[in-house]
Amino acid sequence: MVAKRFFAPDEFENKAEVDEFYKMVAEKDLQPLWTQKGLMLGEPPIRDIPFHWRWSDIKKLSERSGELIPIDRGGDRRVLSLTNPGLGGLPYASTTLWGAIQYLGPREVAPAHRHSAAALRFVVEGSGVWTLVNGDPVAMEPGDLVLTPNWTWHEHHNPGDTPMMWFDALDLPLIRSVDALFYEDGPDLMVNRLVDAVSSSELEFGGGAGLVPFDMEDEQPNHSPLLAFRWKDTDRTLESLLSRRQDGYAALRFSDPTNGKDVMPTMRCSMHRVAAGSEISPRQTTGSSIWLTFAGSARVSVGESEFQLEHGDLFVVPSWASMALSANEQTDLFCVSDAPVLEALGLMRQRKL
Ligand code: GTQ
Ligand code: FE2
């Protein structure tokens, strides 16, 4: 391959004139394309790095934050964000995704607000928290996936006697990068009541496989109207998928029950079950993802790194990094990625290695 030239003034015989020209261009806030190094490389220059966070560390620090830090107005959310060391101190797990662990103590309430970044929760431990999404109370239990789509009001309640910890993912870095992040505080709260009712979203759209209301309104939201995906359904589906597989690896994608699209326009959610001794074969894809080890134990390699995963551990796969996993025991993993964005823009590339 012929090396590209990057016409520095030194390369010219009429160096002084070229030098002067480059100065004049810069003075008018212009830059020549022909002097740009690294603008377009063969493969994307990727800043976020493969990284692993241990549940044991996060849990200890979250519990300590529960003792030290109140969550009244101002604090709002007791959240420790996964900070990818490749991103220069930004509180982001990957280039496009915010990932965090939220801790809500007994009888605490995280007050109402909304933002144009979309969010989702996947519950790791605890019980009894519910979240109010645009007025609809949605219970949260371990293994459940709960959505708070972009610009929906949300507040979290823990009316019980025990703390709860869950994983949050938001498309916040992506929304910030396109300068479209808006935020609004909500009305202050009312009562920290117990909720045992099933959410209206589940009553209307949670009927089960392929069963959706006939008389849906013409105007549909651009996200799943079903806001909670329950562990018992996820577990049962993974179990039957796995029983049909020879290779010991089953995966499902959470989808909008009305149209099969991803649950929200910017994030794809999936759940993976790998039988003891089985593998997720090496692969790579554009777009980044955050993985959460819900159960089991496994070894994963991401790019040049290798991580040993235990219950609750999280890791990030940057864009175009290879990923392969092998399970020591049966292992369940939740995954959130920015795949719908890449697909919508015609930028999805995937390959098995
Ligand atoms: O629970 O509403 O991890 O607004 C980051 C921002 C959680 C939330 C986060 C949020 C929330
Ligand atoms: Fe929020």
Side-chain angles (χ1 to χ4, degrees), residues 169-244:
L170 284 84
D171 55 10
L172 184 74
L174 177 77
I175 304 308
R176 283 197 63 163
S177 77
V178 293
D179 289 335
L181 185 60
F182 295 85
Y183 175 94
E184 198 178 348
D185 275 325
D188 266 325
L189 279 167
M190 318 131 288
V191 271
N192 195 2
R193 62 199 155 91
L194 278 159
V195 162
D196 49 17
V198 178
S199 68
S200 346
S201 100
E202 288 166 274
L203 289 173
E204 287 181 49
F205 295 96
L211 303 175
V212 295
F214 186 58
D215 56 351
M216 293 196 306
E217 287 166 26
D218 294 340
E219 194 75 15
Q220 289 301 308
N222 71 346
H223 58 78
S224 167
L226 180 63
L227 298 176
F229 296 80
R230 300 299 174 191
W231 175 244
K232 70 165 170 32
D233 300 322
T234 307
D235 184 35
R236 176 172 32 79
T237 307
L238 284 174
E239 196 178 302
S240 60
L241 283 174
L242 193 63
S243 74
R244 314 273 307 154

Side-chain angles (χ1 to χ4, degrees), residues 77 113 115 154:
R77 272 42 182 174
H113 69 211
H115 31 72
H154 52 285

Side-chain angles (χ1 to χ4, degrees), residues 1-320:
M1 199 174 98
V2 184
K4 279 195 187 153
R5 295 182 59 201
F6 295 101
F7 306 92
D10 287 353
E11 296 183 42
F12 294 86
E13 273 167 35
N14 51 349
K15 173 178 170 341
E17 277 170 85
V18 173
D19 221 0
E20 179 59 20
F21 166 70
Y22 281 171
K23 266 193 208 112
M24 279 158 49
V25 168
E27 262 165 35
K28 297 296 173 194
D29 300 292
L30 299 165
Q31 291 193 55
L33 169 62
W34 63 86
T35 60
Q36 305 291 324
K37 294 185 188 185
L39 190 63
M40 290 201 222
L41 303 169
E43 294 198 354
I46 289 158
R47 289 165 302 138
D48 52 347
I49 60 171
F51 205 71
H52 168 219
W53 293 264
R54 287 193 178 78
W55 184 249
S56 55
D57 295 332
I58 296 173
K59 185 171 179 174
K60 238 179 277 156
L61 293 166
S62 293
E63 285 167 353
R64 190 69 183 128
S65 76
E67 294 162 4
L68 293 171
I69 313 292
I71 52 157
D72 306 326
R73 277 283 174 214
D76 267 32
R77 272 42 182 174
R78 200 187 287 103
V79 164
L80 295 176
S81 81
L82 307 178
T83 298
N84 192 301
L87 296 176
L90 289 170
Y92 304 151
S94 79
T95 307
T96 54
L97 296 169
W98 167 280
I101 295 297
Q102 184 158 171
Y103 179 95
L104 195 61
R107 284 168 296 283
E108 285 185 329
V109 176
H113 69 211
R114 62 178 174 175
H115 31 72
S116 55
L120 60 88
R121 338 265 161 208
F122 188 88
V123 183
V124 184
E125 278 184 16
S127 183
V129 165
W130 55 278
T131 189
L132 195 68
V133 184
N134 272 352
D136 195 10
V138 185
M140 290 168 64
E141 296 293 327
D144 292 349
L145 168 65
V146 172
L147 312 179
T148 45
N150 128 19
W151 211 236
T152 54
W153 292 108
H154 52 285
E155 60 193 53
H156 314 310
H157 296 241
N158 184 356
D161 298 324
T162 50
M164 184 144 155
M165 287 172 71
W166 65 84
F167 168 64
D168 290 321
L170 284 84
D171 55 10
L172 184 74
L174 177 77
I175 304 308
R176 283 197 63 163
S177 77
V178 293
D179 289 335
L181 185 60
F182 295 85
Y183 175 94
E184 198 178 348
D185 275 325
D188 266 325
L189 279 167
M190 318 131 288
V191 271
N192 195 2
R193 62 199 155 91
L194 278 159
V195 162
D196 49 17
V198 178
S199 68
S200 346
S201 100
E202 288 166 274
L203 289 173
E204 287 181 49
F205 295 96
L211 303 175
V212 295
F214 186 58
D215 56 351
M216 293 196 306
E217 287 166 26
D218 294 340
E219 194 75 15
Q220 289 301 308
N222 71 346
H223 58 78
S224 167
L226 180 63
L227 298 176
F229 296 80
R230 300 299 174 191
W231 175 244
K232 70 165 170 32
D233 300 322
T234 307
D235 184 35
R236 176 172 32 79
T237 307
L238 284 174
E239 196 178 302
S240 60
L241 283 174
L242 193 63
S243 74
R244 314 273 307 154
R245 305 274 312 198
Q246 306 302 312
D247 62 355
Y249 171 42
L252 62 79
R253 183 175 61 88
F254 296 91
S255 73
D256 180 333
T258 67
N259 58 22
K261 289 185 185 170
D262 287 298
V263 289
M264 296 190 287
T266 51
M267 288 186 280
R268 173 165 301 164
C269 297
S270 56
M271 195 86 203
H272 304 250
R273 177 164 289 170
V274 190
S278 293
E279 303 191 335
I280 301 178
S281 60
R283 58 198 59 204
Q284 85 188 133
T285 171
T286 50
S288 56
S289 54
I290 310 174
W291 294 69
L292 166 73
T293 319
F294 181 56
S297 101
R299 201 181 69 249
V300 67
S301 60
V302 185
E304 307 287 288
S305 304
E306 282 232 341
F307 310 122
Q308 183 61 45
L309 303 171
E310 304 297 336
H311 161 75
D313 285 8
L314 296 124
F315 64 95
V316 161
V317 182
S319 186
W320 214 231

